[in-house]
Amino acid sequence: MLTLGALLSPVATAGASPAAPAAPEPARIDLVLDLSGSMNQDDADGQTRLAAAKQAVTRIIDTAPEQAPLGLRVYGATYPGQDKKRGCADTQRVLPVTPMDRAARADAKKRVAGFKAVGFTPIGVSLREAAKDLGPSGERRIILVSDGEDTCAPPPPCEVARELKAQGLDLAVDVVGFRTPSSARAQLKCIADVTDGSYTDADDADSLTAGLGALFRKGWRTYQATGKPVEGSLDGCRDAPLVAPGQYLDRFTGGRDLYYKVKKRPDQLLQVSATAVAEEGYGRGSLITVAAGPEADGEPRAWLREFDQSMGWANIISTGGRSKPGAGSEKPAPDDTGCILVENDVTRPGDKPMPVELLVGIADKTTRQAGARAPEPRTGADAEGGYSFNSATPIGPGTYRQSITVGEAPFWRVEVKAGQKLTVKAGVDIPKDFPRSATTGWGVTVYNAQRTSTQCNKDQNATELLAGRTGHIERVCGPWEISDEGGASGSAPDGYDVPGTYYLQAQVAEPDDEAKGIVVPISLTVDVTGTPRSGDGPVFFFGDDAAHGPSQSGAHAGGEQGANGTTAAATDDDSPLGKLALPAGIGAGVLLLAGLAFYALKRRGAA
């Protein structure tokens, strides 16, 4: 059981911003490479297909994150004869699925350098073996590179793909057709389609390298929703789980809303954030709302109500809010128990379940007196952006540069205090041969300490359409003056006067597939001016895991595990946690992929 001292000690309440939960494991990826005899053809931009494939695979090995589990399987690499039985069994695991540390990286590159292309094309058999390489659990992907159709069926490769999908495994197969004739393309696309993977054509070494890079980044660098599992009630507050400060992971099903109980005294401030994460993108008008208030209310909203709406292409919607301070502006709740409502106007009946992060925080005099600390900013290569609120890279004022692929949306975080001003400048260099598209744009999104997004400035949308432009394109957001010490003054549009952790996200958005995978250099300049003002601003407690310190951004999981395996964020008893009536927060981070004409709409305060 937690003690009072442990719960509200300066260490336990160390974050005005929440600490990150344990990072989710990266997707396990097995690359299956065609080394059949046709790969010796000298038609890949002045070199053999084999040489181009070696170049692309070596690039993947060089750039793979150290913690990323990568395996390599080849087929057609050892038997040069005509015996079909032997040729169609010619598939080998070259590299087990293992994190790419220095030793594994050196070994893999050495093996790739020695590849020869000599044999048959047993795609179906190789897919079965690759599924075994990846193991039985976790997010797994097979990336298949082939220049032709299977020459060994049975088993037909598309039937093998259906077989793997029917096993209920979290497994997708992405396919790159390398100079593939039209006769083979339908077979390869079928493999991708039936496993919910993707198909891409590549005609030369550069496009193969770019295509593979995009697929691997998709597996390793997409937004990964995190938090302690919880199941919100679908039928109102009565049966809802009680949540304490922390980050939780739930899901939208159909068009159903989610309800959670929370404890909050009138003298305490409550922060609630919510993030819905889509696999592809939202349609126009998708809406997510968070509200909280006394449980007795028909629709709880007396404490706070905030919403964000997507009017364009985005794969995340994020919103959050804080209650107003003081008992005089709050409606008392019986036994200090209230209700959190996350309204779902995103999914419809029959849609796939969609992950939702919930973040809950509480602030009062005790947490404020405990003080706050922030993670040490990173510099140089260590300042490369993360890929969610939880993995956002902590930075300070300065200029940061890196390269991203089109469709990626890296995150950074910066701490801003009352009395300071924040200005964010983001630039991208678009190459002259960049595909012309009416829907591609350059966007930078700033999220405030409540994880609510804003338009860059009043006269600018979140994304600036490129409209065929190339060269250096730059956007400036702000300056925003951080002045609100009470937590909900509502004086600034979208709450950009609230001190705390601000999240910065940049992206070249491309709803179509034409530009995906192209690598472009970007720069991010952060300017924080002014002298921090002393005062009694709130310090939010986001759960006991904050004792470990906010290592990278975002929320962390809080709460306790029940004997039946279900998650409750708070205990409704006489424990110190129950007596303190600490509010539960929904850990939210909605990564809006700054897509076309995205607008953030918000209403602040009690309804």
Side-chain angles (χ1 to χ4, degrees):
M1 177 179 292
L2 291 172
T3 65
L4 178 60
L7 183 63
L8 294 181
S9 68
V11 175
T13 58
S17 56
E25 292 187 5
R28 297 168 60 81
I29 299 179
D30 205 20
L31 173 61
V32 178
L33 182 62
D34 183 351
L35 294 183
S36 60
S38 58
M39 290 289 285
N40 290 312
Q41 294 185 35
D42 191 7
D43 61 359
D45 197 24
Q47 60 183 324
T48 65
R49 299 180 186 180
L50 175 61
K54 287 183 178 183
Q55 173 184 311
V57 174
T58 299
R59 174 64 176 163
I60 294 301
I61 295 169
D62 279 336
T63 58
E66 285 194 6
Q67 73 278 15
L70 170 64
L72 180 60
R73 172 171 287 275
V74 298
Y75 59 81
T78 63
Y79 177 67
Q82 299 301 312
D83 186 329
K84 187 173 182 179
K85 183 177 181 180
R86 292 182 61 186
C88 290
D90 184 9
T91 178
Q92 298 86 34
R93 187 184 73 173
V94 175
L95 181 73
V97 180
T98 185
M100 283 287 98
D101 59 22
R102 181 176 299 180
R105 205 181 302 268
D107 180 51
K109 290 170 67 174
K110 182 179 179 180
R111 292 173 183 268
V112 170
F115 282 167
K116 295 181 179 180
V118 297
F120 284 71
T121 311
I123 296 176
V125 172
S126 297
L127 289 177
R128 280 180 179 164
E129 294 304 312
K132 296 176 185 177
D133 296 343
L134 289 165
S137 62
E139 182 184 356
R140 299 168 302 155
R141 303 193 80 88
I142 295 172
I143 297 181
L144 169 66
V145 179
S146 179
D147 71 343
E149 59 187 335
D150 190 300
T151 58
C152 292
C158 197
E159 289 304 312
V160 172
R162 289 192 177 93
E163 165 193 310
L164 296 176
K165 196 64 177 178
Q167 294 174 12
L169 304 176
D170 186 8
L171 173 65
V173 183
D174 299 306
V175 183
V176 179
F178 188 31
R179 299 195 64 82
T180 305
S182 56
S183 58
R185 189 172 289 114
Q187 184 185 80
L188 296 177
K189 290 186 70 174
C190 179
I191 295 170
D193 290 344
V194 301
T195 61
D196 296 321
S198 61
Y199 176 84
T200 305
D201 280 309
D203 292 326
D204 53 36
D206 289 341
S207 60
L208 178 60
T209 300
L212 280 179
L215 290 174
F216 276 90
R217 287 171 185 252
K218 178 180 179 181
W220 289 332
R221 293 181 171 179
T222 54
Y223 193 98
Q224 295 178 313
T226 60
K228 193 166 204 174
V230 66
E231 291 186 11
S233 169
L234 301 177
D235 299 309
C237 296
R238 175 176 296 182
D239 300 323
L242 183 64
V243 291
Q247 178 156 313
Y248 302 89
L249 184 59
D250 206 336
R251 61 181 186 171
F252 281 151
T253 54
R256 307 294 295 274
D257 300 333
L258 298 171
Y259 296 84
Y260 312 86
K261 289 181 181 178
V262 61
K263 287 193 172 185
K264 187 194 79 68
R265 298 191 311 262
D267 64 303
Q268 293 178 322
L269 300 182
L270 171 66
Q271 175 171 323
V272 177
S273 304
T275 302
V277 184
E279 289 185 0
E280 295 297 333
Y282 292 108
R284 295 174 61 88
S286 295
L287 182 71
I288 181 174
T289 307
V290 295
E295 185 178 355
D297 288 0
E299 181 181 330
R301 58 172 64 184
W303 292 342
L304 64 90
R305 184 174 189 268
E306 303 285 342
F307 67 88
D308 264 6
Q309 182 175 16
S310 173
M311 299 295 288
W313 186 81
N315 78 335
I316 296 192
I317 302 179
S318 179
T319 190
R322 292 176 178 174
S323 62
K324 294 181 180 180
S329 60
E330 303 245 345
K331 190 174 181 180
D335 193 31
D336 293 326
T337 300
C339 184
I340 293 171
L341 165 62
V342 183
E343 293 180 320
N344 170 20
D345 194 15
V346 176
T347 64
R348 302 290 183 268
D351 289 351
K352 294 173 59 177
M354 179 180 292
V356 179
E357 289 179 338
L358 302 176
L359 176 66
V360 180
I362 190 73
D364 58 21
K365 291 182 179 179
T366 310
T367 60
R368 182 170 61 239
Q369 292 167 0
R373 62 187 169 93
E376 191 70 24
R378 301 183 196 173
T379 58
D382 290 336
E384 182 172 312
Y387 288 86
S388 69
F389 285 109
N390 292 338
S391 62
T393 302
I395 57 176
T399 297
Y400 304 87
R401 293 180 174 85
Q402 72 179 71
S403 292
I404 65 172
T405 62
V406 174
E408 286 185 285
F411 269 67
W412 296 264
R413 59 178 287 178
V414 61
E415 307 300 321
V416 191
K417 299 178 180 180
Q420 297 184 314
K421 291 183 179 181
L422 172 65
T423 304
V424 178
K425 180 169 65 177
V428 63
D429 293 303
I430 302 297
K432 292 183 179 180
D433 58 350
F434 194 86
R436 298 179 65 88
S437 171
T439 56
T440 303
W442 168 235
V444 55
T445 306
V446 179
Y447 299 83
N448 70 7
Q450 297 161 184
R451 295 187 174 181
T452 295
S453 65
T454 184
Q455 293 176 269
C456 184
N457 279 314
K458 290 182 180 180
D459 59 343
Q460 294 178 323
N461 296 329
T463 298
E464 182 174 354
L465 297 181
L466 301 182
R469 287 183 297 164
T470 59
H472 188 72
I473 298 174
E474 196 167 81
R475 292 173 62 76
V476 178
C477 298
W480 288 291
E481 184 170 358
I482 312 303
S483 60
D484 180 11
E485 294 185 359
S489 72
S491 59
D494 298 318
Y496 278 80
D497 56 352
V498 179
T501 301
Y502 279 64
Y503 301 90
L504 321 173
Q505 172 255 324
Q507 181 199 28
V508 179
E510 171 55 68
D512 301 321
D513 292 331
E514 187 178 6
K516 286 183 178 178
I518 294 178
V519 178
V520 293
I522 67 169
S523 63
L524 181 75
T525 299
V526 175
D527 187 25
V528 179
T529 60
T531 302
R533 187 172 65 234
S534 61
D536 295 328
V539 174
F540 279 82
F541 172 68
F542 291 94
D544 194 54
D545 285 348
H548 303 296
S551 60
Q552 292 185 12
S553 145
H556 63 288
E560 299 181 2
Q561 187 76 17
N564 62 356
T566 60
T567 300
T571 55
D572 195 7
D573 55 18
D574 291 330
S575 68
L577 188 59
K579 290 179 179 178
L580 287 168
L582 292 178
I586 35 189
V590 167
L591 162 143
L592 288 167
L593 286 187
L596 323 166
F598 170 87
Y599 299 91
L601 305 180
K602 168 185 312 289
R603 183 164 68 219
R604 302 182 59 81

